[in-house]
Amino acid sequence: MHDETMVRRLALALMVAATGLTGSTALAGEFRLLPAARQETPTTDKAEDAGASLLPTALAPAQFPAAQASSLIPFEQAVERMQLTGEDDTVVLSFHLGAAQLAAGGKLQIAYQNAVSILPDTGILDVSVNGQSAGSVTIRSPNGFRTETLAVPAEALKAGRNEVRLRARQHHRVDCSLNATYELWTKIDPAGSGFLPARPAGYTALEDLLSVGKTAAGKTEIRLVADGAASVGIANEGIAAVQALALFLDREDLVVTVGKDAATGPGIDLFVGSGSEPGQTAEGKRLLSGSAAGLSVQPGRVPGRPVVVLSGATAGERTASLLAAARGPMRAGLEGGLFAGIWGLIAAEPSTSYTLRDAGYVTAPFVGRLSRTRFELQMPADFYPAEYATIDFHLRGATAPGLALGAQLLVRVNDKVVTSLPFRNVNGEQFDGKRIELPLRAFRPGVNRIEVLAEVPVAADAACGPQIANEATPRFILLETSSLDIPALARIGHFPDLGALAGAAYPFGDGKPFDVFIDSVDPRVLSAALTTVARLGVSAARPLSAKILLSQPVEAEGRNALVISAAGPGMAAIPEKADTANEPADLMSGFAAKTPADTDPVTTASLDTAVVDTKGDDSQALLDAFRNSTVAPQSDGSFATQAETWTTSMFSRFRRWLRYEDPAGKGEANETGALVTLSQVVSPSGLGNWTVIRSDSLDHLALGMQTLAASSAWQRLEGGSAWVRSEDGVLVSRAATTRIITEITDSSFGNFRRLAASWFSDNFQIYIALVIVLMSGFGAWLGFAVSKKGVRTDP
């Protein structure tokens, strides 16, 4: 019954997305679905290093090999989910089987490459399918990808989505230190791994799309076929169909492209409209005219690349076809994918407890030096992080006797260590719900990456002999009954926050229609627009009602906007983002919604021009420059000035420590030369919220959007702005200097109390001053009231 309700809600959301209905706020609120997040991205470097390149695999020095057979049904997860790191790691992947493939059977194909530091012939990759063992593979391919096939018992397979669990146990060949465990990795080729059926997959039904292959770069491509300037109209016709396919496929590596020709590699070609509409290619006119009205699938001219046709004489007919598909042939795929939950993810609700079992963790004794357990916690989009409560992690497990000095448990949140627990008992100890507090200030709206690390060295590790690889005595066990207690949360809608955008498509995920402004009909710009909308729809777990406009941004009351530009002319009136300094936000200046007076009066002539103050003049600019050039050096200032500077510096350092921000000067960079920048600003009149994607060229926009849409970057978005550096592909984020309140999502007294506590934790200077004033007042009153009371001794 629950799944039926969710499908019905999705179908109605599809109707809103396809028709672009206005005034659908109440409808969207009623049919809101829980946003779907994704399993955490493993890294091959130390967890503290969040500056790894995020450029698509196609640009990396070593590309993945092409799929060995067009009939291969790939794993559905993105390449970021297919890396096993450390001494003992597990990933869970999935693939889809239709009835024909299930009856014919087949083999599991694993293409892998491992780090050269792994000790040969001791690394083992255990494979199970739907809980039944499928065998093991020796990890011994450091010089390139090696393909292994494993027979899968027929009784282990099932129709629909099948779960594959890979567990890698690997050891360093020369170094037995804790740090050396970060050098151990085995990565799976997304294009060359999956299920190899005895009977090739055919494409005649919507269900067959779930087995579509991936490109050599490990991407799932949907290509909307359109031609000429009228492609904007075709894109608007197809935006609901693109989102429906994205939700149905439920793949994080999805990219949407637009072109007048069908592509040549694996993927899906999409044709939408009628044969008589402008913008249709010759092939599109043939397919749309020759297909019955509705949503249909047929084999394409390229093997392994099906064609999806949404045909109808009117927009109403096409909308009805999408609704029928969501209720009918798409339903099983949605229930087994989008609505089934994600391995490694806990979707947090306030005042609720969860166990590691809820994240898919399975108890297993650990043999090694550094145990790493990773999962993700999805926080609500209106969650406000501050020092008013903690998330309590109740540890259940045990350590073995004989651990060396320094053994400890660490908990990382979003790649930052937030707490530790020393293992002091050399005779071993048992933990029956040991409480470990995780401060809420370390979390953020959207997806949070949590890693529980147990450093369990022993004295014998110093010898680093070859026998260490065959060690059989476990050192640590973490039980799957270990739990997380989520407290009551402070809830308030605030802007900007890229974490909420990535985690729950905020502020677009509420179902209200919004505009997508573009500055060019170039296919790369349209591709960026459709990829972004599809990614937001997957984050919101529902189709969004978006309309693409070839225009400079135009404000409409109550209507948000997505602005995409590759330095095209005519994109004016976009406010310069004032949220890119490395200072934390001061959200709670009052419990009031935004007003036009709160907006930034600065505008720009184009997306990449210098700031122009519309209220200033040349004289004022000269005076400002004069004052800046005549400021006395800090060492020459008065004692009061130096004391004020020192106090401000100390408060800033304490604030950065309090909010887990980088030290001053560390990681600072500017956006010059970035592949793409992503920021959120308030529209000039304050009537709407704009999310702006900028790039300095069409090629950089295409590459940058592929990078941002990948889960490795998307789930790390935070703050008020972010960009991808062109020189190394590293994602850089900056906190918002100011944030505004967009809505009060909870008007209860308890929520206002938590919000007040949050405000004081962010503005601790005021809190300290208030405490000093109150204590001074109490001391003065006490001295006055008691001075003439008590026992008086006569001389």
Side-chain angles (χ1 to χ4, degrees), residues 83-313:
Q83 296 190 51
L84 301 107
T85 60
E87 296 171 297
D88 193 336
D89 197 12
T90 299
V91 298
V92 174
L93 309 175
S94 62
F95 64 91
H96 185 275
L97 283 184
Q101 286 76 41
L102 176 64
K107 298 179 179 180
L108 203 64
Q109 179 169 297
I110 306 293
Y112 75 93
Q113 183 181 10
N114 58 271
V116 70
S117 56
I118 293 178
L119 185 64
D121 299 327
T122 62
I124 298 296
L125 184 66
D126 296 324
V127 184
S128 65
V129 180
N130 297 322
Q132 296 190 36
S133 174
S136 300
V137 172
T138 302
I139 301 174
R140 52 181 178 182
S141 183
N143 298 320
F145 282 94
R146 178 187 181 97
T147 300
E148 300 277 0
T149 57
L150 297 169
V152 180
E155 61 273 12
L157 298 173
K158 63 181 181 180
R161 282 182 166 91
N162 291 258
E163 180 183 280
V164 177
R165 183 178 292 263
L166 305 179
R167 180 187 180 191
R169 289 170 290 168
Q170 46 204 9
H171 308 88
H172 203 287
R173 63 167 69 211
V174 295
D175 193 346
C176 294
S177 66
L178 289 174
N179 287 337
T181 63
Y182 289 99
E183 300 175 9
L184 305 175
W185 55 262
T186 298
K187 60 183 178 182
I188 309 299
D189 168 24
S193 302
F195 185 78
L196 195 58
R199 177 183 299 174
Y203 297 102
T204 58
L206 285 170
E207 181 189 27
D208 300 332
L209 298 178
L210 296 174
S211 61
V212 71
K214 298 185 179 184
T215 66
K219 301 291 185 181
T220 302
E221 181 188 21
I222 297 177
R223 186 174 184 86
L224 179 65
V225 182
D227 188 21
S231 57
V232 175
I234 300 297
N236 278 316
E237 293 287 348
I239 198 167
V242 166
Q243 293 183 81
L245 290 175
L247 294 169
F248 180 59
L249 293 173
D250 193 31
R251 295 190 185 181
E252 291 179 310
D253 54 21
L254 184 72
V255 294
V256 184
T257 61
V258 178
K260 63 180 181 180
D261 299 316
T264 58
I268 298 172
D269 290 326
L270 175 63
F271 296 85
V272 179
S274 64
S276 60
E277 288 179 331
Q280 299 290 358
T281 63
E283 179 69 6
K285 292 178 181 180
R286 182 187 69 82
L287 289 170
L288 292 168
S289 300
S291 301
L295 187 65
S296 61
V297 178
Q298 54 187 279
R301 295 182 176 180
V302 177
R305 190 175 184 92
V307 169
V308 177
V309 178
L310 178 58
S311 177

Side-chain angles (χ1 to χ4, degrees), residues 354-432:
Y354 302 91
T355 65
L356 293 184
R357 186 188 298 115
D358 296 325
Y361 173 76
V362 177
T363 301
F366 175 73
V367 178
R369 297 146 193 79
L370 179 62
S371 168
R372 303 171 67 184
T373 302
R374 298 184 297 257
F375 61 95
E376 291 178 343
L377 192 67
Q378 171 93 8
M379 300 296 281
D382 59 351
F383 157 65
Y384 183 61
E387 281 295 315
Y388 56 87
T390 61
I391 293 178
D392 294 334
F393 177 59
H394 296 281
L395 175 64
R396 292 177 174 85
T399 61
L403 296 185
L405 184 66
Q408 62 178 335
L409 184 95
L410 301 173
V411 180
R412 286 195 178 105
V413 177
N414 297 323
D415 302 321
K416 303 256 175 62
V417 175
V418 299
T419 190
S420 64
L421 174 67
F423 294 148
R424 295 192 176 96
N425 194 334
V426 295
N427 296 318
E429 52 190 323
Q430 180 174 326
F431 303 100
D432 299 315

Side-chain angles (χ1 to χ4, degrees), residues 528-529 531-532 564 676 693 700-710 714:
T531 298
T532 305
I564 300 177
V676 66
I693 298 175
H700 280 182
L701 177 65
L703 176 57
M705 277 312 305
Q706 287 188 38
T707 306
L708 279 180
W714 189 259

